[in-house]
Amino acid sequence: MEKHRGFPGRLTGTDYQFVIRHAHKDGATKLVARERYADRRPADRKADAGFMLALWQHFGEEPFVRGNLDAGRLSWLFGREVVAAEDPFDPESYDALLRIDAARAQMSFPEIFA
């Protein structure tokens, strides 16, 4: 499992985790596209924006390896702002390649790109 050095471990001042420390012995947690409903708590929306900002600052539009990025946090963006960068894509692999869909990310998080 690749560890992304310099990537923030969590959203500052919260317990919203961005990375994991160790690979799970049974393999990576499957990435699934989670639905973000309009009535989500402001703290959850702030965590999504903070994670998207960290991804953008760290990787930009270049493909990146999933590595030690938290599956739960990625799943809130997966299938929309973060998409598979390879075909076939294995959602249960730490070596899976992802990329940011910049156009979609700009629509969802305009404050990051302003």
Side-chain angles (χ1 to χ4, degrees):
M1 173 180 75
E2 181 174 330
K3 293 191 176 189
H4 298 292
R5 303 283 182 217
F7 197 88
R10 63 184 63 245
L11 182 63
T12 305
T14 71
D15 285 333
Y16 289 104
Q17 179 174 307
F18 289 172
V19 296
I20 58 174
R21 293 183 185 182
H22 307 286
H24 193 275
K25 63 179 174 135
D26 295 331
T29 301
K30 183 177 182 178
L31 293 179
V32 294
R34 292 183 176 173
E35 187 66 33
R36 290 193 315 252
Y37 295 102
D39 64 348
R40 287 183 72 213
R41 297 178 329 165
D44 292 329
R45 287 185 290 216
K46 184 177 177 183
D48 291 342
F51 188 60
M52 185 70 240
L53 176 61
L55 288 172
W56 183 251
Q57 289 176 337
H58 204 78
F59 303 113
E61 294 187 64
E62 296 299 315
F64 57 93
V65 175
R66 173 186 173 176
N68 69 330
L69 298 175
D70 182 67
R73 188 59 40 211
L74 265 174
S75 289
W76 287 110
L77 304 176
F78 185 68
R80 291 175 297 274
E81 297 85 12
V82 175
V83 295
E86 61 186 352
D87 188 30
F89 177 74
D90 182 2
E92 295 184 56
S93 171
Y94 289 118
D95 297 322
L97 284 177
L98 301 165
R99 69 174 179 79
I100 296 172
D101 182 339
R104 186 85 185 256
Q106 288 175 2
M107 289 185 342
S108 299
F109 301 101
E111 67 278 9
I112 292 172
F113 300 93

